[in-house]
Amino acid sequence: MNVFSDPAFDNHEQVVFAHDARTGLKAIIAVHNTRLGPSLGGCRMWPYASEADAIHDVLRLSRGMTYKSAMARLPLGGGKSVILGDPRSQKTPELFRAMGRAVEQIGGRYIVAEDVGTSPDDMHNIARQTSHVGGINDGSDPTRTGDPSPFTAYGVFIGLKEAVRFKNGHDDLGGLRVAVQGLGNVGYHLCRLLHDAGARLVVADLNANIVDRAVRELGASAVSVDEILSVDADILAPCALGGVINDRSIKTLRARIIAGAANNQLESDRHGQMLLERGILYAPDYVINAGGVVEVYYGREGKPVSDTNKHIEGIADTTREIFKRAAAENLPTGFVADRIAEERFAPR
Ligand code: NAD
């Protein structure tokens, strides 16, 4: 089990192993970079197959948050935490209070929020021990539900429209076919926005009920989960899983634009190069799915939702800058995005 020699280790500032014998807490908190501000990132609870897997995940995810917040022009760095355990059977309020104490000990260099396997209730338990927690809805602002997904969807919508503008010279979605993979919290909100803008939806999800709802409410056409990536569409919006753009799927893609919410859509960097060679415009995932983290930040600052939305609309400028630089230098958009992020957070 290695930290410094793990392939995901990237000059992380601090990696803390937290243990609490009474509650059984085993957690790792990784602070990747705080040059732009305190690191912020979700707390994932997952039954990792090994401690090495947990270390790798927290190193990888915390680094990703540095890039995401830098690209979103937030005064935040990147961090993440993982709790080793099964969220279905091993959660207790005491466990999360112990996690809160561990976060408190980092002294504000890490701000925790919800992630896969953790819930608003868990964040409330963490908040009993530390103020360094985001995404808490205390009910003081009725326009805030505490759910970042609609904000994530709004940012994806903004980025997707910018991609259409770059390809077509205008951002009118009227009549364009958009294939949406995954109709969860983000995907369904995105479908609503696309529908309202006049797009025609083609959708797939493992959950047949949600697909039926999209057909009924939004006039979507349903296809199977095996077909969605290769369906005849102008735009593909992956909103389910990572790694969907890979050697197999790239051969059959028919969309000319990829713009969706899922994290780590490209299985590896070389798939960005393959998309470039095929003339498919890829809106880098972490750039356009940053709406949720923007809302967590503004919620913590006590600023109104209108400020969140205004900030999210800035995703258009960032996306355009990436597309322009990528086109001028004939480079993959993901590569250019990383370079711009690094210019922002790396020590000068
Ligand atoms: P979610 O769990 O609510 O929804 C995911 C949906 O995808 C589910 O309905 C699931 O049934 C479906 N799905 C799973 N496998 C599928 C497959 N093979 N084909 C089609 N559908 C499939 O998750 P979410 O919160 O909507 O997030 C979606 C993606 O966006 C995730 O990758 C997440 O990491 C990313 N993301 C979410 C947020 C946010 O604010 N929620 C922010 C940034 C990134």
Side-chain angles (χ1 to χ4, degrees):
M1 187 183 75
N2 297 312
V3 177
F4 295 121
S5 54
D6 186 287
F9 182 78
D10 177 44
N11 297 316
H12 285 68
E13 291 176 11
Q14 196 175 10
V15 182
V16 172
F17 291 76
H19 177 242
D20 181 69
R22 204 172 55 78
T23 60
L25 175 75
K26 280 187 190 162
I28 312 171
I29 301 171
V31 175
H32 174 246
N33 186 297
T34 57
R35 214 186 86 77
L36 296 177
S39 70
L40 184 146
C43 171
R44 183 165 288 195
M45 184 165 183
W46 195 254
Y48 289 100
S50 69
E51 291 173 17
D53 284 0
I55 291 170
H56 182 71
D57 214 27
V58 78
L59 292 175
R60 180 179 74 81
L61 294 167
S62 55
R63 176 180 185 272
M65 288 307 297
T66 300
Y67 282 75
K68 184 181 288 204
S69 288
M71 284 311 270
R73 293 197 175 280
L74 291 169
L76 294 173
K80 202 88 181 183
S81 56
V82 294
I83 297 178
L84 290 76
D86 190 335
R88 286 167 303 184
S89 57
Q90 290 177 285
K91 276 190 182 183
T92 61
E94 293 73 27
L95 180 91
F96 283 96
R97 276 189 231 144
M99 184 64 186
R101 288 192 291 277
V103 170
E104 178 64 17
Q105 281 170 0
I106 311 283
R109 285 164 43 77
Y110 172 63
I111 301 165
V112 63
E114 209 183 311
D115 199 78
V116 175
T118 57
S119 68
D121 270 359
D122 302 332
M123 292 306 119
H124 279 287
N125 283 314
I126 286 180
R128 288 162 165 247
Q129 305 291 334
T130 183
S131 60
H132 306 304
V133 50
I136 292 276
N137 175 28
D138 62 7
S140 60
D141 180 350
T143 61
R144 264 203 168 91
T145 64
D147 175 10
S149 309
F151 298 95
T152 303
Y154 185 48
V156 172
F157 178 70
I158 297 284
L160 181 151
K161 280 212 307 184
E162 206 49 46
V164 171
R165 188 198 299 277
F166 196 78
K167 267 271 187 223
N168 298 348
H170 60 79
D171 69 358
D172 183 6
L173 300 182
L176 293 185
R177 265 164 78 88
V178 187
V180 182
Q181 180 192 42
L183 302 176
N185 292 320
V186 181
Y188 205 88
H189 277 289
L190 177 65
C191 282
R192 280 213 192 94
L193 295 169
L194 292 167
H195 173 71
D196 291 349
R200 290 185 293 149
L201 298 169
V202 189
V203 300
D205 197 293
L206 297 172
N207 174 350
N209 293 333
I210 195 83
V211 172
D212 289 347
R213 188 169 151 206
V215 170
R216 239 182 12 253
E217 285 183 358
L218 308 172
S221 316
V223 297
S224 76
V225 294
D226 298 328
E227 289 170 289
I228 189 75
L229 294 175
S230 58
V231 84
D232 184 13
D234 301 288
I235 302 152
L236 171 66
C239 296
L241 319 157
V244 292
I245 308 300
N246 51 43
D247 288 344
R248 295 173 306 286
S249 66
I250 259 180
K251 291 194 197 113
T252 61
L253 286 176
R254 288 202 269 173
R256 311 310 295 160
I257 290 172
I258 299 176
N263 281 315
N264 305 313
Q265 288 167 33
L266 306 185
E267 194 176 79
S268 76
D269 289 347
R270 72 188 167 78
H271 295 107
Q273 178 64 32
M274 287 165 81
L275 290 178
L276 174 67
E277 283 161 15
R278 284 209 46 200
I280 299 172
L281 183 63
Y282 168 61
D285 45 21
Y286 72 87
V287 177
I288 68 168
N289 75 12
V293 70
V294 173
E295 164 58 5
V296 170
Y297 172 74
Y298 276 87
R300 253 181 78 75
E301 294 290 305
K303 302 239 177 85
V305 160
S306 54
D307 283 12
T308 306
N309 286 329
K310 197 153 170 272
H311 193 120
I312 290 173
E313 282 153 19
I315 287 177
D317 290 344
T318 309
T319 313
R320 192 177 323 121
E321 182 188 350
I322 293 166
F323 291 158
K324 278 191 180 157
R325 271 174 70 166
E329 299 177 47
N330 196 30
L331 288 169
T333 51
F335 177 85
V336 171
D338 286 357
R339 221 161 56 180
I340 295 174
E342 285 156 9
E343 284 163 12
R344 292 185 186 170
F345 73 75
R348 275 186 276 268

